[in-house]
Amino acid sequence: MANGLDDVVAADTVLSDVDGVGGHLTIRGHSLAELAGRWRYAQVVRLLFDGFFDDLPGDAELEKAIGKARVEVFDRVKPLLAKLPRLDIYSGMRAGMAILPDGDGLADALRLIAAPAVLTAALLRLGQGETPITPDEKADHAGDMLRMLAGTASPALAKALDSYLVTVCDHGLNASTFATRVVASTQAGLTSAILAGLGALKGPLHGGAPGPVIEMLDAIEASGDATAWLSDEIAHGERIMGFGHRIYRVRDPRADALKAVVRQLGSCNETSSRLAFAEKVEQAALDVLRIAKPQRSIQTNVEFYTALLLEAVGFPKEAFSNVFAAGRAAGWIAHAREQQATGRLIRPQSRYVGPLPDLVA
């Protein structure tokens, strides 16, 4: 068996399918192209949760329930907020979520949907010396996340963020989803399972990659020569963030979905020049990688345009993984419930390759 569990099937799921050869992502029977920019995040949450909660309401009612969950989460974490900024923003969000009840019901699930939005906005404001803004339970989820961050939220930016949350809501049995399912298989509550997912998402080889994309773009802009900068990084054994994927052997379909959203934003704010520069860097990176690693097909992945989109809607790069978690929480919860329903503990075997003790005759 290959290290990293390559090609090992660890679960049957109705939730999503990643076609790494064809470059397609299917979420409960719908292509990503059908969902991104067309379905609201609350609708996709309902799609993912369908069949896992007996009391799941319709789309409009679920949107309202998520709004009420944001208010409830804010009230629960408010006494702790002053202490959380001592941590980095991702750890602060995780610590705030750790105090949520560890049940398996719909109310527990909706609090876990709401919490990353509430905590991320509040912690960013506290870090700037500003007072956290109370959620508006009547607002849509993405719009309220931006309003809690900046005080206002334009419809265009709210739609862009909503499209992002939909695009990253689920993606097969990735590292954080597998970690979530492992904990869920023990019959631990949803909060415990989602905290496991948060831990896995933090790593730079998973959800921690978009922030370094911004650092790369800024460094290349300062250098003035994308090809030379990228070639030097590869020569020194560095990874080019925003390129390559464990599953996709072609372009990540989520990259195109997010690029389209950023392009739409370019007509209503100052992202057009940033996008034009990023496109030049993208092409330079693909050219350099093709020459440096001809035996591999390394294409643009979701992190590259995630960085541009989240920067455009107003999040600093240190909070990018938080926003990723805000979208992926729905998928984690659905996978946790699907795993719990099997009643089966995930318990793989390992192969011992260490020294053997001396046998006594």
Side-chain angles (χ1 to χ4, degrees):
M1 182 180 65
N3 288 333
L5 301 181
D6 290 14
D7 301 322
V8 173
V9 175
D12 291 328
T13 182
V14 300
L15 295 169
S16 62
D17 178 64
V18 181
D19 178 356
V21 176
H24 303 295
L25 172 60
T26 300
I27 299 174
R28 295 208 86 163
H30 299 271
S31 70
L32 177 62
E34 290 179 68
L35 301 177
R38 293 176 171 84
W39 287 45
R40 293 165 67 95
Y41 185 60
Q43 292 177 289
V44 175
V45 170
R46 189 179 186 282
L47 176 69
L48 289 169
F49 284 7
D50 188 29
F52 299 123
F53 298 97
D54 293 336
D55 52 345
L56 186 67
D59 292 339
E61 292 78 11
L62 184 60
E63 183 94 66
K64 293 177 183 178
I66 294 172
K68 291 179 180 178
R70 288 194 302 274
V71 174
E72 182 182 347
V73 168
F74 185 84
D75 290 341
R76 283 178 178 269
V77 302
K78 192 173 182 179
L80 295 177
L81 287 177
K83 298 179 181 179
L84 295 180
R86 301 173 190 173
L87 305 170
D88 65 83
I89 188 167
Y90 194 85
S91 297
M93 176 189 71
R94 187 169 51 182
M97 292 176 70
I99 71 167
L100 297 177
D102 202 10
D104 296 316
L106 181 62
D108 301 292
L110 297 186
R111 282 190 290 266
L112 290 164
I113 292 283
V118 171
L119 285 158
T120 299
L123 292 172
L124 283 172
R125 289 186 66 84
L126 285 168
Q128 297 165 356
E130 299 174 334
T131 302
I133 296 175
T134 303
D136 177 2
E137 69 177 59
K138 296 181 180 179
D140 69 275
H141 191 56
D144 202 30
M145 189 173 183
L146 292 180
R147 187 194 65 83
M148 289 187 289
L149 175 67
T152 60
S154 76
L157 294 182
K159 182 178 179 181
L161 179 59
D162 190 80
S163 296
Y164 171 75
L165 298 178
V166 168
T167 299
V168 301
C169 69
D170 196 42
H171 198 249
L173 206 57
N174 55 80
S176 58
T177 299
F178 185 58
T180 298
R181 290 190 75 124
V182 169
V183 174
S185 77
T186 70
Q187 298 297 322
L190 289 174
T191 297
S192 293
I194 273 51
L195 289 173
L198 286 170
L201 189 73
K202 187 172 186 278
L205 297 186
H206 192 13
V213 169
I214 294 297
E215 295 169 3
M216 177 183 74
L217 291 175
D218 290 343
I220 290 173
E221 188 171 24
S223 76
D225 189 333
T227 299
W229 191 94
L230 292 162
S231 297
D232 185 65
E233 287 290 291
I234 292 175
H236 286 85
E238 300 294 332
R239 297 182 73 252
I240 305 301
M241 289 299 185
F243 297 87
H245 194 274
R246 187 68 169 265
I247 302 298
Y248 291 117
R249 295 298 173 259
V250 294
R251 188 179 177 85
D252 187 333
R254 299 169 299 171
D256 286 331
L258 297 182
K259 183 176 181 178
V261 175
V262 177
R263 181 170 283 117
Q264 290 172 356
L265 283 179
S267 63
C268 59
N269 64 19
E270 298 179 356
T271 63
S272 57
S273 60
R274 184 68 153 170
L275 174 61
F277 174 70
E279 288 178 318
K280 293 178 181 178
V281 172
E282 179 186 19
Q283 188 57 57
L286 292 172
D287 292 341
V288 168
L289 287 165
R290 185 169 56 252
I291 294 170
K293 301 180 184 295
Q295 73 282 7
R296 297 175 59 191
S297 176
I298 302 178
Q299 301 293 325
T300 310
N301 66 34
V302 67
E303 281 87 7
F304 191 80
Y305 285 103
T306 286
L308 291 176
L309 191 154
L310 296 185
E311 180 184 60
V313 300
F315 288 100
K317 63 180 183 293
E318 61 268 21
F320 286 177
S321 293
N322 293 53
V323 189
F324 198 154
R328 185 56 58 82
W332 286 338
I333 293 164
H335 276 274
R337 292 291 291 161
E338 186 178 54
Q339 184 63 45
Q340 287 173 335
T342 70
R344 186 72 173 170
L345 176 69
I346 295 176
R347 176 58 171 89
Q349 295 288 337
S350 60
R351 180 185 297 116
Y352 179 67
V353 296
L356 296 173
D358 294 331
L359 297 179
V360 179

